[in-house]
Amino acid sequence: MVRLANQYVIFELADEFYGVDIHQVRGIEKPMSLTRVPNAPEFVQGVCNLRGSVIPVIDLRRRLGLSAGTETKNTRVLIVNVDKYTVGMVIDNANDVVNINPDMIEPSPALVSGIDSEFIRGVAKINNRLLVLLDLNKILSVQEISDLEQIN
């Protein structure tokens, strides 16, 4: 039986593979209509109504300092819990759910694909490819979470 404790949702962003703890993922949605919010942080694309709840949707590429992307038929919005907030994160493609043993995760190098190492929980090698495991609780700063609280 597969243990849920070590499962990660795998997705693509700027031709690289990333993973987030499945316990923080509430769902994966197709891109939805967004309403822009004046004076929101630049990485916030807008807000959407997801089953009666208004949630902010952020551009994860922009937040991680990666090159801008274009929406394709594979683009998805990863709905995650960050601290006590629900946030949508635009990703290029959702790929899989994998089980990763903790001993397969190595500490993050100082710089991975141009991403600040503070956002990275570790790096795992899965099927001959490197998978960057993101720490969603560090993706947003205290001030950014406060800003999102005002949007919510």
Side-chain angles (χ1 to χ4, degrees):
M1 181 173 175
V2 176
R3 292 179 40 205
L4 191 60
N6 300 324
Q7 288 189 316
Y8 291 84
V9 174
I10 307 304
F11 60 91
E12 287 182 60
L13 199 63
D15 297 324
E16 301 291 341
F17 291 93
Y18 296 89
V20 294
D21 187 333
I22 198 168
H23 290 107
Q24 290 184 276
V25 177
R26 294 185 57 185
I28 300 171
E29 303 288 334
K30 290 184 177 179
M32 50 203 100
S33 176
L34 298 176
T35 301
R36 296 203 180 274
V37 178
N39 300 318
E42 68 178 35
F43 57 86
V44 175
Q45 289 190 332
V47 294
C48 71
N49 182 345
L50 181 66
R51 297 178 199 96
S53 297
V54 176
I55 64 167
V57 176
I58 71 169
D59 182 339
L60 191 54
R61 280 177 175 254
R62 181 174 283 183
R63 181 64 189 111
L64 296 177
L66 301 172
S67 62
T70 56
E71 187 174 313
T72 70
K73 66 178 182 168
N74 295 323
T75 300
R76 295 290 181 265
V77 178
L78 192 64
I79 309 297
V80 298
N81 290 325
V82 179
D83 198 18
K84 62 182 181 180
Y85 303 102
T86 300
V87 177
M89 296 181 165
V90 177
I91 58 174
D92 294 348
N93 191 12
N95 291 81
D96 204 356
V97 174
V98 297
N99 195 36
I100 301 174
N101 291 326
D103 60 351
M104 297 170 61
I105 301 172
E106 297 184 19
S108 65
L111 192 66
V112 175
S113 298
I115 297 175
D116 193 329
S117 62
E118 72 178 287
F119 301 147
I120 300 172
R121 175 177 285 174
V123 177
K125 187 175 181 182
I126 305 291
N127 298 328
N128 294 323
R129 69 180 185 209
L130 288 179
L131 178 66
V132 178
L133 303 176
L134 296 177
D135 186 341
L136 292 181
N137 292 328
K138 293 183 179 173
I139 294 287
L140 299 172
S141 70
V142 172
Q143 180 60 47
E144 292 162 341
I145 289 174
S146 175
D147 292 342
L148 292 178
E149 184 176 33
Q150 293 175 10
I151 292 173
N152 280 334

